[in-house]
Amino acid sequence: MDIDPNLSQTERAVYGLRGLIVQGKLKPGDRVLEQALVDAFGVSRTPARAAMQRISEEGLISLQPSGGYVVSSFTEDDVFDAISIRGTLEGMAARMAAEKGAPARVLKAMHECLEELDAVVGSSDVAGRQNDYVVLNDRLHELICGAAQSPMVARALERLVAIPFSVNNSFTDVPASAKAGVRDILRGAQEQHRNIVDAIENREGTRAQALMIEHSRSTWKYLDLMLHLPEPGTLPGGLEAALRARRT
C-alpha cells in the first residue's frame, strides 16, 4: 500500500489498517495480528499496538474475550444510521452555535482554520495532504460543536467515536486511481465548511443546521469512491450493499 512516508509510524499503521478494512482487504472475522502490521507498514511493535487500539476505539475491529482483535462486521443499517446520527447531532450543534451566537474568539479561530484548510485543498496534491486535511477538519468540527455551548451535545458527540463510520474516521491511504476523486470531495467539503461558518456568524440557525447535515454526507461520497476503485477487492460486510442502495 502506498502510504505517505512523512506520517508518523502510528499514523502509518492507523491509515494502513483502516484502509485494509474499509477497502475490504481484511474481511469481517479476520484476525488482526500485530506482526502483520509491523511487516506490512514498516513500523515497530509499539506503533502497531497503538494503531490497533485506535482502530478498536473506532469500532472497526473488536477485542475478543480470548484475546486478540478481529475485524468487525457491519450491516447496511449500521452505516446509514451512523452517518445520520453524526449529521443530526452536528447539525443541532451548528444551529445552537448560530442561535446562541459564537464568541468572537471562536469565530476568529474558525476563520483561521478555514484559511489553513484552503491551503490544503488548494494544493496540487490534495490527496497527498489528506492527513493535514483530517487534522484541520477535526479542529473545525470541534470549534463548531464547542460553540454550541451545550455539555449534553458535547457528551453525545464524544460517544460517537465508538460507532464505525459515524465520525471522520473513514479516511484511508489513497490509491493513485482515486486521487482526483478525493480532491473533488475534499474541495466540495471545504466549500460547505465556509458556508456553515458563514451561517453561524450571521446567526442563521436553520441554515447552519441544514448545511451541516448535508456536509455529513461527504462521508458517503468518500466511501462510494472507495467502492469504485479499479483495484480488485470488496468492502466490509454490508457496506457495499449500503452504498449501492444509496445510489438507487
Side-chain angles (χ1 to χ4, degrees), residues 126-153:
V126 180
R129 296 193 62 186
Q130 184 176 241
N131 189 59
D132 294 332
Y133 177 89
V134 170
V135 171
L136 292 167
N137 180 72
D138 286 349
R139 184 192 306 169
L140 181 60
H141 280 248
E142 287 169 3
L143 286 167
I144 292 170
C145 294
Q149 304 170 61
S150 170
M152 292 297 102
V153 171

mmCIF file of all heavy atoms in Angstrom, residues 126-153:
data_model
loop_
_atom_site.group_PDB
_atom_site.id
_atom_site.type_symbol
_atom_site.label_atom_id
_atom_site.label_comp_id
_atom_site.label_asym_id
_atom_site.label_seq_id
_atom_site.Cartn_x
_atom_site.Cartn_y
_atom_site.Cartn_z
ATOM 1 N N VAL A 126 -3.804 17.361 -3.326
ATOM 2 C CA VAL A 126 -4.719 17.393 -2.182
ATOM 3 C C VAL A 126 -4.755 16.031 -1.484
ATOM 4 O O VAL A 126 -4.689 15.947 -0.260
ATOM 5 C CB VAL A 126 -6.145 17.774 -2.632
ATOM 6 C CG1 VAL A 126 -7.089 17.796 -1.434
ATOM 7 C CG2 VAL A 126 -6.144 19.121 -3.326
ATOM 8 N N ALA A 127 -4.845 14.960 -2.263
ATOM 9 C CA ALA A 127 -4.922 13.626 -1.675
ATOM 10 C C ALA A 127 -3.674 13.314 -0.858
ATOM 11 O O ALA A 127 -3.748 12.667 0.185
ATOM 12 C CB ALA A 127 -5.116 12.575 -2.769
ATOM 13 N N GLY A 128 -2.528 13.807 -1.313
ATOM 14 C CA GLY A 128 -1.286 13.587 -0.591
ATOM 15 C C GLY A 128 -1.232 14.320 0.732
ATOM 16 O O GLY A 128 -0.438 13.981 1.610
ATOM 17 N N ARG A 129 -2.082 15.343 0.876
ATOM 18 C CA ARG A 129 -2.134 16.105 2.132
ATOM 19 C C ARG A 129 -3.387 15.764 2.929
ATOM 20 O O ARG A 129 -3.854 16.554 3.745
ATOM 21 C CB ARG A 129 -2.086 17.607 1.827
ATOM 22 C CG ARG A 129 -0.792 18.060 1.171
ATOM 23 C CD ARG A 129 -0.669 19.572 1.183
ATOM 24 N NE ARG A 129 -0.625 20.085 2.562
ATOM 25 C CZ ARG A 129 -0.643 21.388 2.851
ATOM 26 N NH1 ARG A 129 -0.730 22.284 1.882
ATOM 27 N NH2 ARG A 129 -0.596 21.789 4.120
ATOM 28 N N GLN A 130 -3.904 14.573 2.687
ATOM 29 C CA GLN A 130 -5.139 14.163 3.347
ATOM 30 C C GLN A 130 -4.998 14.185 4.863
ATOM 31 O O GLN A 130 -5.935 14.554 5.577
ATOM 32 C CB GLN A 130 -5.530 12.758 2.874
ATOM 33 C CG GLN A 130 -6.844 12.280 3.427
ATOM 34 C CD GLN A 130 -7.245 10.933 2.858
ATOM 35 O OE1 GLN A 130 -8.269 10.814 2.214
ATOM 36 N NE2 GLN A 130 -6.450 9.915 3.088
ATOM 37 N N ASN A 131 -3.826 13.805 5.384
ATOM 38 C CA ASN A 131 -3.651 13.809 6.835
ATOM 39 C C ASN A 131 -3.774 15.219 7.397
ATOM 40 O O ASN A 131 -4.376 15.434 8.451
ATOM 41 C CB ASN A 131 -2.301 13.206 7.211
ATOM 42 C CG ASN A 131 -2.175 12.984 8.707
ATOM 43 O OD1 ASN A 131 -2.959 12.270 9.313
ATOM 44 N ND2 ASN A 131 -1.180 13.627 9.318
ATOM 45 N N ASP A 132 -3.209 16.208 6.681
ATOM 46 C CA ASP A 132 -3.344 17.608 7.108
ATOM 47 C C ASP A 132 -4.817 18.007 7.113
ATOM 48 O O ASP A 132 -5.287 18.697 8.019
ATOM 49 C CB ASP A 132 -2.571 18.536 6.166
ATOM 50 C CG ASP A 132 -1.072 18.312 6.221
ATOM 51 O OD1 ASP A 132 -0.586 17.881 7.276
ATOM 52 O OD2 ASP A 132 -0.396 18.559 5.208
ATOM 53 N N TYR A 133 -5.540 17.566 6.090
ATOM 54 C CA TYR A 133 -6.962 17.888 5.999
ATOM 55 C C TYR A 133 -7.717 17.303 7.190
ATOM 56 O O TYR A 133 -8.551 17.980 7.798
ATOM 57 C CB TYR A 133 -7.548 17.352 4.689
ATOM 58 C CG TYR A 133 -9.040 17.602 4.565
ATOM 59 C CD1 TYR A 133 -9.512 18.775 3.995
ATOM 60 C CD2 TYR A 133 -9.964 16.687 5.064
ATOM 61 C CE1 TYR A 133 -10.877 19.031 3.918
ATOM 62 C CE2 TYR A 133 -11.327 16.934 5.000
ATOM 63 C CZ TYR A 133 -11.774 18.111 4.414
ATOM 64 O OH TYR A 133 -13.115 18.368 4.354
ATOM 65 N N VAL A 134 -7.434 16.060 7.519
ATOM 66 C CA VAL A 134 -8.141 15.392 8.617
ATOM 67 C C VAL A 134 -7.925 16.135 9.932
ATOM 68 O O VAL A 134 -8.873 16.371 10.693
ATOM 69 C CB VAL A 134 -7.689 13.920 8.745
ATOM 70 C CG1 VAL A 134 -8.238 13.292 10.022
ATOM 71 C CG2 VAL A 134 -8.138 13.118 7.532
ATOM 72 N N VAL A 135 -6.686 16.530 10.201
ATOM 73 C CA VAL A 135 -6.373 17.235 11.448
ATOM 74 C C VAL A 135 -7.124 18.564 11.517
ATOM 75 O O VAL A 135 -7.748 18.899 12.529
ATOM 76 C CB VAL A 135 -4.853 17.472 11.570
ATOM 77 C CG1 VAL A 135 -4.548 18.405 12.747
ATOM 78 C CG2 VAL A 135 -4.122 16.149 11.737
ATOM 79 N N LEU A 136 -7.087 19.329 10.428
ATOM 80 C CA LEU A 136 -7.761 20.630 10.399
ATOM 81 C C LEU A 136 -9.279 20.476 10.405
ATOM 82 O O LEU A 136 -9.995 21.256 11.039
ATOM 83 C CB LEU A 136 -7.307 21.415 9.166
ATOM 84 C CG LEU A 136 -5.854 21.876 9.178
ATOM 85 C CD1 LEU A 136 -5.426 22.350 7.787
ATOM 86 C CD2 LEU A 136 -5.648 23.003 10.199
ATOM 87 N N ASN A 137 -9.766 19.480 9.693
ATOM 88 C CA ASN A 137 -11.200 19.218 9.666
ATOM 89 C C ASN A 137 -11.719 18.894 11.066
ATOM 90 O O ASN A 137 -12.754 19.402 11.502
ATOM 91 C CB ASN A 137 -11.488 18.058 8.714
ATOM 92 C CG ASN A 137 -12.962 17.712 8.626
ATOM 93 O OD1 ASN A 137 -13.749 18.446 8.053
ATOM 94 N ND2 ASN A 137 -13.342 16.577 9.207
ATOM 95 N N ASP A 138 -10.973 18.051 11.775
ATOM 96 C CA ASP A 138 -11.361 17.714 13.145
ATOM 97 C C ASP A 138 -11.390 18.963 14.021
ATOM 98 O O ASP A 138 -12.295 19.142 14.842
ATOM 99 C CB ASP A 138 -10.395 16.690 13.737
ATOM 100 C CG ASP A 138 -10.598 15.291 13.167
ATOM 101 O OD1 ASP A 138 -11.616 15.069 12.477
ATOM 102 O OD2 ASP A 138 -9.734 14.426 13.402
ATOM 103 N N ARG A 139 -10.393 19.825 13.849
ATOM 104 C CA ARG A 139 -10.319 21.047 14.652
ATOM 105 C C ARG A 139 -11.520 21.944 14.380
ATOM 106 O O ARG A 139 -12.127 22.479 15.316
ATOM 107 C CB ARG A 139 -9.027 21.818 14.359
ATOM 108 C CG ARG A 139 -8.854 23.054 15.253
ATOM 109 C CD ARG A 139 -7.750 23.960 14.758
ATOM 110 N NE ARG A 139 -6.484 23.241 14.579
ATOM 111 C CZ ARG A 139 -5.433 23.767 13.950
ATOM 112 N NH1 ARG A 139 -5.512 24.981 13.406
ATOM 113 N NH2 ARG A 139 -4.323 23.083 13.842
ATOM 114 N N LEU A 140 -11.883 22.096 13.102
ATOM 115 C CA LEU A 140 -13.010 22.965 12.768
ATOM 116 C C LEU A 140 -14.316 22.407 13.332
ATOM 117 O O LEU A 140 -15.136 23.146 13.891
ATOM 118 C CB LEU A 140 -13.121 23.135 11.248
ATOM 119 C CG LEU A 140 -14.248 24.055 10.775
ATOM 120 C CD1 LEU A 140 -14.066 25.468 11.328
ATOM 121 C CD2 LEU A 140 -14.305 24.089 9.244
ATOM 122 N N HIS A 141 -14.504 21.104 13.202
ATOM 123 C CA HIS A 141 -15.719 20.488 13.733
ATOM 124 C C HIS A 141 -15.777 20.645 15.258
ATOM 125 O O HIS A 141 -16.857 20.860 15.822
ATOM 126 C CB HIS A 141 -15.798 19.016 13.337
ATOM 127 C CG HIS A 141 -16.290 18.801 11.940
ATOM 128 N ND1 HIS A 141 -17.507 18.217 11.651
ATOM 129 C CD2 HIS A 141 -15.745 19.118 10.733
ATOM 130 C CE1 HIS A 141 -17.679 18.168 10.340
ATOM 131 N NE2 HIS A 141 -16.615 18.706 9.763
ATOM 132 N N GLU A 142 -14.639 20.527 15.914
ATOM 133 C CA GLU A 142 -14.610 20.712 17.368
ATOM 134 C C GLU A 142 -14.973 22.146 17.740
ATOM 135 O O GLU A 142 -15.694 22.374 18.724
ATOM 136 C CB GLU A 142 -13.219 20.367 17.903
ATOM 137 C CG GLU A 142 -12.925 18.874 17.901
ATOM 138 C CD GLU A 142 -11.462 18.565 18.188
ATOM 139 O OE1 GLU A 142 -10.689 19.523 18.454
ATOM 140 O OE2 GLU A 142 -11.077 17.382 18.133
ATOM 141 N N LEU A 143 -14.488 23.114 16.971
ATOM 142 C CA LEU A 143 -14.818 24.516 17.235
ATOM 143 C C LEU A 143 -16.316 24.763 17.058
ATOM 144 O O LEU A 143 -16.948 25.451 17.872
ATOM 145 C CB LEU A 143 -14.028 25.428 16.291
ATOM 146 C CG LEU A 143 -12.537 25.585 16.592
ATOM 147 C CD1 LEU A 143 -11.824 26.250 15.409
ATOM 148 C CD2 LEU A 143 -12.327 26.402 17.864
ATOM 149 N N ILE A 144 -16.884 24.198 15.992
ATOM 150 C CA ILE A 144 -18.317 24.388 15.738
ATOM 151 C C ILE A 144 -19.148 23.752 16.845
ATOM 152 O O ILE A 144 -20.082 24.364 17.382
ATOM 153 C CB ILE A 144 -18.698 23.800 14.360
ATOM 154 C CG1 ILE A 144 -18.056 24.634 13.237
ATOM 155 C CG2 ILE A 144 -20.220 23.752 14.191
ATOM 156 C CD1 ILE A 144 -18.173 24.008 11.853
ATOM 157 N N CYS A 145 -18.804 22.524 17.217
ATOM 158 C CA CYS A 145 -19.577 21.841 18.248
ATOM 159 C C CYS A 145 -19.374 22.492 19.613
ATOM 160 O O CYS A 145 -20.314 22.562 20.415
ATOM 161 C CB CYS A 145 -19.196 20.362 18.281
ATOM 162 S SG CYS A 145 -19.681 19.479 16.776
ATOM 163 N N GLY A 146 -18.170 22.992 19.871
ATOM 164 C CA GLY A 146 -17.930 23.702 21.127
ATOM 165 C C GLY A 146 -18.721 24.990 21.207
ATOM 166 O O GLY A 146 -19.154 25.408 22.287
ATOM 167 N N ALA A 147 -18.918 25.639 20.055
ATOM 168 C CA ALA A 147 -19.652 26.901 20.017
ATOM 169 C C ALA A 147 -21.125 26.710 20.354
ATOM 170 O O ALA A 147 -21.825 27.680 20.654
ATOM 171 C CB ALA A 147 -19.513 27.554 18.635
ATOM 172 N N ALA A 148 -21.594 25.459 20.325
ATOM 173 C CA ALA A 148 -22.983 25.190 20.714
ATOM 174 C C ALA A 148 -23.195 25.445 22.195
ATOM 175 O O ALA A 148 -24.324 25.656 22.646
ATOM 176 C CB ALA A 148 -23.357 23.751 20.378
ATOM 177 N N GLN A 149 -22.088 25.401 22.959
ATOM 178 C CA GLN A 149 -22.128 25.676 24.401
ATOM 179 C C GLN A 149 -23.150 24.774 25.110
ATOM 180 O O GLN A 149 -23.930 25.213 25.942
ATOM 181 C CB GLN A 149 -22.450 27.152 24.646
ATOM 182 C CG GLN A 149 -21.480 28.107 23.967
ATOM 183 C CD GLN A 149 -21.927 29.547 24.016
ATOM 184 O OE1 GLN A 149 -22.074 30.109 25.100
ATOM 185 N NE2 GLN A 149 -22.152 30.163 22.854
ATOM 186 N N SER A 150 -23.113 23.491 24.719
ATOM 187 C CA SER A 150 -24.048 22.522 25.280
ATOM 188 C C SER A 150 -23.300 21.272 25.743
ATOM 189 O O SER A 150 -22.865 20.469 24.906
ATOM 190 C CB SER A 150 -25.103 22.128 24.238
ATOM 191 O OG SER A 150 -25.864 21.027 24.705
ATOM 192 N N PRO A 151 -23.139 21.090 27.044
ATOM 193 C CA PRO A 151 -22.482 19.878 27.540
ATOM 194 C C PRO A 151 -23.195 18.604 27.093
ATOM 195 O O PRO A 151 -22.553 17.570 26.883
ATOM 196 C CB PRO A 151 -22.546 20.042 29.064
ATOM 197 C CG PRO A 151 -22.643 21.521 29.282
ATOM 198 C CD PRO A 151 -23.475 22.014 28.144
ATOM 199 N N MET A 152 -24.522 18.658 26.945
ATOM 200 C CA MET A 152 -25.277 17.469 26.538
ATOM 201 C C MET A 152 -24.916 17.056 25.111
ATOM 202 O O MET A 152 -24.692 15.884 24.829
ATOM 203 C CB MET A 152 -26.781 17.745 26.646
ATOM 204 C CG MET A 152 -27.304 17.932 28.057
ATOM 205 S SD MET A 152 -27.127 16.463 29.100
ATOM 206 C CE MET A 152 -25.684 16.914 30.063
ATOM 207 N N VAL A 153 -24.860 18.026 24.209
ATOM 208 C CA VAL A 153 -24.486 17.732 22.819
ATOM 209 C C VAL A 153 -23.039 17.254 22.760
ATOM 210 O O VAL A 153 -22.713 16.294 22.054
ATOM 211 C CB VAL A 153 -24.695 18.967 21.921
ATOM 212 C CG1 VAL A 153 -24.106 18.718 20.533
ATOM 213 C CG2 VAL A 153 -26.183 19.285 21.808
#
